[in-house]
Amino acid sequence: MSFDEEWATLVARASEQGGVRTQPNSAGPGGDGGRHDLSTSQDELGAIGHDAYVLFGRLRKDGDIARESSDTASVTLKNADFTLGEELGLTIGVWNSQLKTLLQSCAHISNHLDYSAKSYARQDKEIEARMRHRDGSAMSVSEIERYYR
């Protein structure tokens, strides 16, 4: 099955299930009749960032829970000349590496979304300030329209 066929199947399945927020209906500009493929609100960004932060905290705490006993078991098995001890040590090393990668990813997502939400709010305030006259009154539609010509 090609990527395009698989993607079309997934889009159709998502449409049938309803409640889908993104609408990946086209590839490229203008092919979707002017609709946007993806939109989100600052509240949604904040919620996702918070979830990533919570996941980071839980992974940091719970992901390392068996390290000490596993290290002890690995050393004990190695000292008793069991090959399993060295293999367990390698497994622990891979687990720790994967855990660190996942922790970094969660932290990156959380930090990026927090930054994005704050940045968008700041940009909104700047745009709003530019769209007002010195006396605080809003620009007229005709004044705004000049920016688009």
Side-chain angles (χ1 to χ4, degrees), residues 71 86-100:
D71 283 341
E86 187 173 329
E87 298 302 320
L88 181 58
L90 288 172
T91 303
I92 293 166
V94 170
W95 172 261
N96 286 332
S97 172
Q98 296 297 318
L99 179 62
K100 286 178 184 176

Side-chain angles (χ1 to χ4, degrees), residues 4-59:
D4 291 331
E5 293 169 335
E6 186 175 356
W7 184 254
T9 302
L10 292 171
V11 169
R13 190 177 307 143
S15 296
E16 290 170 5
Q17 292 175 353
V20 178
R21 291 184 183 253
T22 59
Q23 296 177 352
N25 295 332
S26 69
D32 61 356
R35 293 184 327 224
H36 297 281
D37 282 352
L38 178 64
S39 64
T40 187
S41 69
Q42 290 180 17
D43 290 341
E44 290 171 332
L45 290 178
I48 294 168
H50 176 72
D51 288 346
Y53 177 77
V54 169
L55 180 59
F56 175 85
R58 294 231 15 232
L59 279 172

